[in-house]
């Protein structure tokens, strides 16, 4: 009498399908919640560009969370319910030749990467329309009128942004100079970014925009602030020993307050502007100029309004 081995069941059991479906649904809900929550990790949004950058960041966090939780969940399930017996030292069953599985783990990452790529392109196009930028080589484009006319859609400006090792200087159309950047809310400001020595980077986290500043060139750049407050401008490009102190305030205020500030600043004489690196360098010299060699900071800029560095900022 011959015995016949039972034929393997085809497909997944209903119970396992329900468990996988429920786990996927829970993972999806958790990922959506994490994506929405991730926006709170960022500084306050204070420009027209911020919602687009935040949306892209939120999408990437959601996708990353779904993949991470799914992989960790599968590992925990295997450890808890599919682990080998205590003294089982045999190898696991191979899964070579599973065409459907190979197609799945090829197609799914491809779709995810392409979706992120297309959405990123869309965000970049939106940012380009909100804050177009043009680079001018000073050795070729020596006419200031050509640089000033780079953005015909500006509401105010152009405001010259001069970066140095290690200080910021802002020159407004009427000649007012300041160590802190003042902007009217909901008005598109055009900047002319330039460097007097090395590479610097104009970065305001609350605006979600960063622009490198290249020596020997002028970069026309536009930003529209949408929220009144005091924000922090940081030099995001390593430019020497004191680059981390190359920070200042960006003060976004109402149009009336901005006009009043311009009139008040115009009536004030020029004084030494903000330069925290100068003070740090003097402390170094007082201690004998020991340690790694460093570049002496440039002299503080002469400005009408040196600002108030001790004021707290929102972001």
């Amino acid at each position: 009498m011959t015995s016949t081995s039972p034929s393997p069941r085809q497909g997944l059991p209903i119970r396992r399908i329900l468990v996988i479906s429920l786990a996927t649904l829970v993972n999806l809900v958790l990922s959506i919640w994490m994506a929405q929550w991730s926006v709170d990790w960022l500084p306050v949004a204070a420009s027209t560009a911020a919602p687009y950058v935040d949306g892209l960041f939120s999408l990437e966090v959601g996708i990353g969370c779904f993949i991470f939780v799914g992989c960790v969940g599968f590992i925990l399930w295997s450890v808890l319910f599919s682990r080998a017996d205590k003294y089982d030292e045999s190898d696991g069953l191979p899964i070579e030749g599973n065409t459907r599985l190979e197609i799945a783990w090829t197609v799914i990452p491809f779709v995810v990467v392409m979706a992120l790529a297309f959405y990123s392109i869309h965000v970049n196009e939106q940012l380009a329309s909100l804050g177009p930028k043009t680079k001018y080589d000073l050795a070729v484009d020596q006419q200031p009128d050509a640089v000033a006319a780079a953005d015909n859609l500006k509401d105010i400006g152009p405001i010259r942004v001069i970066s140095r090792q290690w200080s910021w200087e802002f020159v407004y159309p009427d000649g007012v100079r300041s160590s802190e950047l003042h902007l009217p809310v909901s008005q598109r400001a055009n900047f002319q970014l330039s460097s007097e020595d090395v590479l610097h980077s104009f970065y305001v986290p609350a605006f979600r925009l960063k622009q490198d500043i290249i020596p020997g060139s002028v970069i026309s750049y536009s930003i529209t602030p949408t929220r009144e407050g005091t924000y922090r401008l940081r030099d995001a490009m390593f430019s020497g020993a004191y680059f981390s102190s190359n920070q200042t305030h960006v003060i976004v205020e109402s149009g009336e307050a901005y006009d009043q500030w311009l009139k008040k600043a115009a009536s004030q004489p020029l004084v030494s502007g903000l330069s925290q690196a100068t003070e740090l360098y003097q402390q170094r010299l007082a201690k004998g100029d020991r340690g790694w060699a460093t570049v002496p900071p440039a002299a503080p800029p002469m400005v009408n309004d040196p600002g108030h560095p001790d004021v707290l900022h929102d972001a």
Side-chain angles (χ1 to χ4, degrees):
M1 183 176 181
T2 59
S3 60
T4 58
S5 58
S7 59
R9 290 180 296 177
Q10 299 295 327
L12 291 174
I14 298 299
R15 182 179 177 182
R16 186 174 300 179
I17 294 176
L18 293 177
V19 171
I20 294 175
S21 300
L22 179 61
T24 303
L25 178 61
V26 172
N27 189 7
L28 181 62
V29 173
L30 176 63
S31 300
I32 294 175
W33 174 78
M34 184 66 71
Q36 296 174 344
W37 181 41
S38 66
V39 179
D40 296 335
W41 306 345
L42 304 174
V44 295
S47 77
T48 53
Y52 297 99
V53 177
D54 291 357
L56 178 59
F57 177 76
S58 177
L59 176 63
E60 292 174 343
V61 169
I63 294 176
C65 178
F66 185 84
I67 296 174
F68 175 79
V69 173
C71 292
V72 172
F74 180 79
I75 293 173
L76 293 177
W77 176 273
S78 301
V79 170
L80 294 176
F81 302 106
S82 299
R83 63 180 181 271
D85 294 333
K86 184 175 182 180
Y87 298 105
D88 184 359
E89 297 181 358
S90 61
D91 295 332
L93 295 175
I95 57 172
E96 297 179 359
N98 192 327
T99 305
R100 288 182 296 179
L101 183 59
E102 292 178 358
I103 292 176
W105 71 39
T106 301
V107 171
I108 293 176
F110 175 79
V111 172
V112 171
V113 171
M114 293 306 297
L116 287 174
F118 280 113
Y119 188 70
S120 299
I121 293 173
H122 170 70
V123 170
N124 285 329
E125 290 175 348
Q126 294 296 325
L127 296 181
S129 64
L130 294 174
K133 57 184 177 182
T134 306
K135 177 179 175 295
Y136 293 89
D137 190 343
L138 293 180
V140 179
D141 303 296
Q142 299 181 357
Q143 299 298 323
D145 293 339
V147 179
D151 184 9
N152 295 325
L153 300 177
K154 65 181 181 295
D155 293 325
I156 63 168
I159 300 174
R160 292 178 58 202
V161 179
I162 304 172
S163 55
R164 302 182 180 89
Q165 290 177 303
W166 290 268
S167 63
W168 294 98
E169 180 183 0
F170 307 99
V171 184
Y172 300 82
D174 58 357
V176 170
R177 298 172 178 265
S178 68
S179 289
E180 295 178 341
L181 177 60
H182 285 251
L183 296 173
V185 69
S186 301
Q187 295 188 40
R188 185 173 181 174
N190 178 251
F191 304 109
Q192 293 177 5
L193 307 175
S194 62
S195 169
E196 293 195 348
D197 35 53
V198 298
L199 283 171
H200 296 278
S201 186
F202 182 89
Y203 178 45
V204 184
F207 293 166
R208 308 290 195 271
L209 294 175
K210 181 174 75 71
Q211 175 59 50
D212 294 343
I213 307 176
I214 305 172
S217 64
V218 173
I219 298 176
S220 176
Y221 197 55
S222 299
I223 289 176
T224 304
T226 57
R227 182 180 184 273
E228 294 186 22
T230 301
Y231 310 105
R232 201 65 173 162
L233 165 62
R234 310 175 189 273
D235 187 352
M237 180 69 70
F238 178 75
S239 56
Y242 303 108
F243 92 100
S244 61
S245 66
N246 195 15
Q247 304 183 24
T248 189
H249 286 333
V250 178
I251 301 172
V252 180
E253 53 200 349
S254 65
E256 294 78 8
Y258 173 75
D259 293 336
Q260 293 176 3
W261 173 81
L262 279 178
K263 293 179 181 179
K264 180 180 178 180
S267 64
Q268 297 176 350
L270 295 176
V271 296
S272 294
L274 175 65
S275 178
Q276 296 179 355
T278 300
E279 181 180 353
L280 294 173
Y281 186 69
Q282 293 301 324
Q283 294 176 5
R284 173 193 174 97
L285 295 180
K287 296 179 181 179
D289 196 14
R290 294 188 297 270
W292 295 100
T294 183
V295 177
M302 301 301 293
V303 297
N304 301 97
D305 185 356
H308 306 279
D310 297 330
V311 174
L312 299 179
H313 54 274
D314 299 323

